[in-house]
Amino acid sequence: MRTKFLRALVGAVMLGTAGAQAAEIRIGFTQDALTLDPGNHRSRETETIIRQMYDGLFTRNSRMEVVPELIDTWRQVDPVTYEFTIHRGVRFHSGDELTAEDIKFTFDRLTQTNAMDGQTSPRQSLLGPLRAVEVIGPYAVRFILREPWPILTAMLPFQEVVSRRFVERVGTAGMATQANGTGAFRLVEWRRGDSLILERFNDYFGGARSIPPVGPANVDRVIIRVIPENAARVAALLSGSVEIINELPASAIRQVEANPNTRVARVNGTRTFFIAFNNDRAPFNDPRVRRAMNHAIDRNLIIQRILADAAVPLNGVMSPDAFAFNRDLPEFTFDQALARRLLAEAGHANGFEAVIDTQSAYREISEAIASMLNRVGLRIRVQVWEGSVLTPIWQNAERRRERDMFFTSWGNGALDPSDIMVPTLRTGGRGNSAGFSNAEVDQLLDAAETEVDVNKRRDMYMRAQAIVNREAPWLFLWLPQDLYGVSRRLQGWEPNADSRINLQRATMR
Amino acid sequence: MPIARFVERILHLIPVLAGVSVIVFLMISLTPGDPVEIMLGDQRATPEQVASMRRDMGLDRPAVERYFVFVTNAIRGDFGQSFFHRRPVSAVISERLPATIELTVAAMLIAIGLAIPLGVLAAVRRDTILDRIATVGSLFGVSLPGFWFGILLILFFAVQLQILPVAGRLGYAMEVPAVTGFALVDSLIAGRMDSFWEVLRHLALPAFTLGLPSAAILMRVTRSAMIEVLRADYITFAEAKGLSRARIIGLHALKNALIPAVSVAALETGTLLGGNMVVETVFGWPGLGRLVVESIFARNYPLVQAAVLLYAVTYVALNFAADLLYTVLNPRVRL
């Protein structure tokens, strides 16, 4: 099969027919997949690749709303019980039909301890309190949670459905290098470290019904070529060797825009950047100082000059695309006079000394921020660390006691406050480097964790964001955009904030 | 060479490998960073889930125990599971190793092919314009950073002229049945000259980028050795006998001048095998160097340990091969 396909491909390429060229999309991608097993990794890049071949119960549309993919209908029976019915007639690449048994098998494999030939899936924690999946019909399943978890559907796009029969046949070892999903493309060959060759799956069920057009992919082939080096990836795009590149470096934006055959595509990412103040330590234990420093920096200038306009300024923690984003937060305007006044009120008219802990990749930005803070009379300097040394220091309340400020970030792939506010702002959270602790915020976050009424939940998070904005435990910075370089011949594709490169609906001119 | 000598040299490997394994293990143990934390990233996880991941990776055991488990398994050829690929390390490495060896051999062929003739020429035409060009050129060769020079080559040959590919090992439309894992050899075995040519096109830029610094070093070594040899009495004697210049240089002088070059070439080959991650990254070459660097950043301990041991074995083996070549070039040298 593979040989036949490749021979046809060679023939088509050698003939150089327009049709053959129009039918494939080549991606220059930063990393190879670590594995092709959807249940056995924790890598976003791996997921992007695997998602070409596998579908999830849910996916996200271009507005980042969660929409059903393999699911036909669903309902929440009670706070801890969900019932899902899948589309009938969905086929795996092997030809087997997708049934409720496959859904149960997929999620048991992800959540049960030692379910993967003696090992536990590293994705287990992505499914929170999912306790059991019951088959209630040939195409219907029931998900039962240990406790209410309103972000279940927001987390389900991260999990791809596998075939029970196939996994039982090839085992976990076989799943690492073989693929049998229900996705729009099927695997032809994986050349480890080099490329993945995929072809259209003609029996594809069509994808999410709410994202037209529904049907098999338009193009015949997708080739994912691993090109880790930025300049080489850009060169591949400019030379016409690939149609899409991810992680376009900001320094190459002009070059790509100047080329008549290529363009830059951008989308808000899901990672919030901030500088955590050590809220336990003077002078950062005074909200006036924290607010003053938030007024002392010109975010827009840094975004414009250093980040090549590829970021959105933030006055809080959430992405503007996320659920419950509070659009009414007061803005921290760049106002040096106000900053000085607030500092004087807090008893720091003569400023103070402090250190921003950062990593080499962010040195330039950290220094720009430090110099802005120094303009209002502070004496801030930057200390560069190795990431794996720095992060554990700031994750530990004892070890960070002597530190002042920490340039860091937190990803929010679920685009839900629960996934970012709870770890970074709830008392004792895994990513609460600032040591921020506010009883009202804790109470709102805890209540929202189990609140099933969407409107009430949204309201709780809005209020929590308002408190965080007022208390300013961080120097709020920005949300970088994901940049892609794209050939103008490619139509019908725009990037998604979740880093998926969904090519089902893309065509080549 | 007597078999006993050979066995003795092989036995020398044991303390070397034991020492290397201890050093690697100590360095890894002392390096900050936790693979579980790196894998989890920003996601929420309960302490039980973190503990379960740590147990799966064997990180819940004390370092000394981990070392002995590693050594006893390694003796049996089991280097454990790669934390991030979740497959046996030996499988992951063996997929990548042929690409690295192929690139290294190609780079060394380019290096030797450039260095020996140029070195000889520079020595014979000492202090001429040719010598100066070769010497200054070698300085450039040593000084040009691979990541920069590689990008320049890509921009010129792949973007401007569009005659060579930007990255990768083989055009995706080509298929070569994997027999040895070496794409050039496999192409020949399959009798596929089209894919052989395609692999060569992909190999050209990375091999040249990788080989150039070695060529520069080798050329300088050859030149100085050749100058030294050309001053020797036996060369004067050969000239007095009326032997042709070409015969003197090609047969009598070069053989002796090559001895230091062989030693340097062996060391360079070891360095290229272990140190070509920059070139592999720039050209998207699916080799071991890139994999090891990614693994170091991700604290993928089992893979790093196995790769470093492999590098150590290779280095020792190459030195041994150089020693063997000495005996061929100079019969007075004994192992």
Side-chain angles (χ1 to χ4, degrees), chain A residues 55-59 61 67-73 85-91 203-216 504-505:
Chain A
D55 287 321
L57 293 180
F58 286 85
T59 186
N61 62 21
V67 294
E69 190 167 35
L70 288 171
I71 282 179
D72 188 12
T73 59
T85 309
I86 53 170
H87 290 291
R88 291 172 187 232
V90 177
R91 298 268 163 204
D203 294 332
Y204 186 51
F205 83 102
R209 293 293 185 258
S210 62
I211 313 176
V214 172
Q504 180 204 342
R505 296 164 182 89

Side-chain angles (χ1 to χ4, degrees), chain A residues 180-450:
Chain A
N180 179 32
T182 57
F185 296 94
R186 58 194 290 165
L187 178 69
V188 175
E189 189 182 1
W190 181 24
R191 297 176 180 167
R192 250 80 90 203
D194 185 88
S195 54
L196 252 110
I197 303 168
L198 311 171
E199 66 172 332
R200 179 177 55 213
F201 177 43
N202 289 326
D203 294 332
Y204 186 51
F205 83 102
R209 293 293 185 258
S210 62
I211 313 176
V214 172
N218 290 316
V219 294
D220 298 321
R221 292 174 289 277
V222 168
I223 286 95
I224 300 171
R225 174 132 253 172
V226 183
I227 313 176
E229 164 61 34
N230 285 345
R233 219 162 46 251
V234 173
L237 177 75
L238 297 178
S239 68
S241 307
V242 296
E243 280 74 39
I244 300 176
I245 58 169
N246 72 329
E247 290 191 26
L248 176 75
S251 57
I253 291 178
R254 275 193 197 164
Q255 207 182 356
V256 171
E257 277 174 346
N259 187 311
N261 303 320
T262 57
R263 66 182 177 95
V264 175
R266 48 179 90 208
V267 64
N268 289 343
T270 55
R271 183 162 284 274
T272 296
F273 276 73
F274 56 95
I275 291 181
F277 294 118
N278 189 345
N279 283 230
D280 294 331
R281 185 174 194 216
F284 305 106
N285 53 0
D286 185 339
R288 287 172 300 183
V289 171
R290 304 193 299 249
R291 293 180 59 78
M293 291 171 80
N294 266 292
H295 280 292
I297 63 162
D298 188 347
R299 294 166 183 78
N300 290 320
L301 187 67
I302 296 176
I303 290 172
Q304 196 187 344
R305 294 286 165 84
I306 304 182
L307 300 174
D309 264 334
V312 185
L314 294 181
N315 295 295
V317 51
M318 299 305 303
S319 155
D321 302 329
F323 168 74
F325 171 67
N326 189 337
R327 285 173 203 286
D328 302 324
L329 294 181
E331 188 188 341
F332 283 102
T333 48
F334 174 50
D335 188 339
Q336 291 175 321
L338 176 59
R340 283 177 190 276
R341 202 165 63 238
L342 284 168
L343 284 172
E345 275 175 28
H348 297 286
N350 296 323
F352 53 80
E353 286 184 8
V355 177
I356 301 177
D357 293 332
T358 191
Q359 297 177 48
S360 57
Y362 305 114
R363 180 190 192 131
E364 199 184 6
I365 291 174
S366 303
E367 282 173 348
I369 293 169
S371 74
M372 285 176 174
L373 293 172
N374 292 343
R375 291 262 178 87
V376 296
L378 303 179
R379 292 177 297 284
I380 309 291
R381 61 185 181 85
V382 171
Q383 186 168 345
V384 179
W385 300 68
E386 214 268 318
S388 59
V389 179
L390 185 58
T391 310
I393 292 176
W394 276 89
Q395 276 178 345
N396 182 307
E398 263 311 298
R399 296 181 67 194
R400 70 168 171 256
R401 217 162 47 172
E402 301 299 314
R403 310 305 312 165
D404 302 318
M405 298 157 80
F406 175 33
F407 185 103
T408 185
S409 67
W410 197 268
N412 180 19
L415 284 173
D416 189 289
S418 164
D419 194 30
I420 183 167
M421 291 191 80
V422 175
T424 60
L425 291 162
R426 203 202 172 287
T427 304
R430 182 167 165 262
N432 191 348
S433 315
F436 179 66
S437 179
N438 180 294
E440 205 180 343
V441 169
D442 286 356
Q443 189 245 320
L444 284 167
L445 292 179
D446 288 349
E449 282 285 86
T450 52

Side-chain angles (χ1 to χ4, degrees), chain A residues 488-499:
Chain A
R488 290 193 182 277
R489 291 179 57 224
L490 180 73
Q491 308 281 305
W493 180 80
E494 285 303 323
N496 261 26
D498 58 5
S499 306

Side-chain angles (χ1 to χ4, degrees), chain A residues 10 24 40 191 388 411 430, chain B residues 42-43 86 172-174 299:
Chain A
V10 174
E24 69 191 26
N40 213 356
R191 297 176 180 167
S388 59
R430 182 167 165 262
Chain B
D42 298 341
Q43 299 295 339
R86 313 269 286 183
Y172 55 84
M174 292 279 175
R299 305 293 187 270

Side-chain angles (χ1 to χ4, degrees), chain A residues 225 236 239 241, chain B residues 153-154 157-159 162-171 197-206 283:
Chain A
R225 174 132 253 172
S239 68
S241 307
Chain B
L153 290 179
I154 289 176
F157 288 102
V159 180
Q162 305 214 347
I163 53 172
L164 289 173
V166 174
R169 195 176 176 206
L170 182 66
W197 175 240
E198 185 70 8
V199 178
L200 270 186
R201 288 181 66 238
H202 280 82
L203 195 55
L205 294 184
F283 291 97

Side-chain angles (χ1 to χ4, degrees), chain A residues 20-178:
Chain A
Q21 285 173 358
E24 69 191 26
I25 298 172
R26 298 160 299 178
I27 307 171
F29 202 61
T30 39
Q31 280 185 34
D32 194 10
L34 294 170
T35 170
L36 296 187
D37 187 343
N40 213 356
H41 69 91
R42 281 296 287 257
S43 149
R44 196 162 174 160
E45 287 80 8
T46 299
E47 192 178 331
T48 299
I49 291 172
I50 285 177
R51 258 299 198 163
Q52 303 291 347
M53 297 168 277
Y54 285 90
D55 287 321
L57 293 180
F58 286 85
T59 186
R60 286 181 186 271
N61 62 21
S62 57
R63 293 188 300 280
M64 290 310 290
E65 295 158 345
V66 177
V67 294
E69 190 167 35
L70 288 171
I71 282 179
D72 188 12
T73 59
W74 68 284
R75 68 187 187 109
Q76 186 168 6
V77 182
D78 60 49
V80 293
T81 314
Y82 294 72
E83 282 180 4
F84 300 121
T85 309
I86 53 170
H87 290 291
R88 291 172 187 232
V90 177
R91 298 268 163 204
F92 284 102
H93 301 155
S94 60
D96 294 337
E97 192 188 10
L98 172 75
T99 67
E101 287 293 341
D102 296 306
I103 309 288
K104 176 178 167 50
F105 178 80
T106 297
F107 285 90
D108 282 353
R109 190 167 180 261
L110 292 168
T111 55
Q112 310 291 315
T113 303
N114 300 333
M116 297 200 326
D117 292 349
Q119 286 204 326
T120 306
S121 169
R123 301 180 79 72
Q124 190 190 43
S125 60
L126 294 173
L127 284 163
L130 177 60
R131 181 169 66 80
V133 176
E134 291 174 355
V135 173
I136 52 173
Y139 302 99
V141 287
R142 182 180 293 135
F143 276 45
I144 302 163
L145 308 176
R146 272 189 294 275
E147 61 197 33
W149 195 47
I151 64 165
L152 173 71
T153 53
M155 294 302 282
L156 285 177
F158 297 121
Q159 312 302 344
E160 296 86 34
V161 174
V162 298
S163 153
R164 176 180 183 163
R165 206 164 136 192
F166 185 72
V167 177
E168 286 178 347
R169 183 162 66 80
V170 302
T172 294
M175 286 295 286
T177 55
Q178 300 171 55

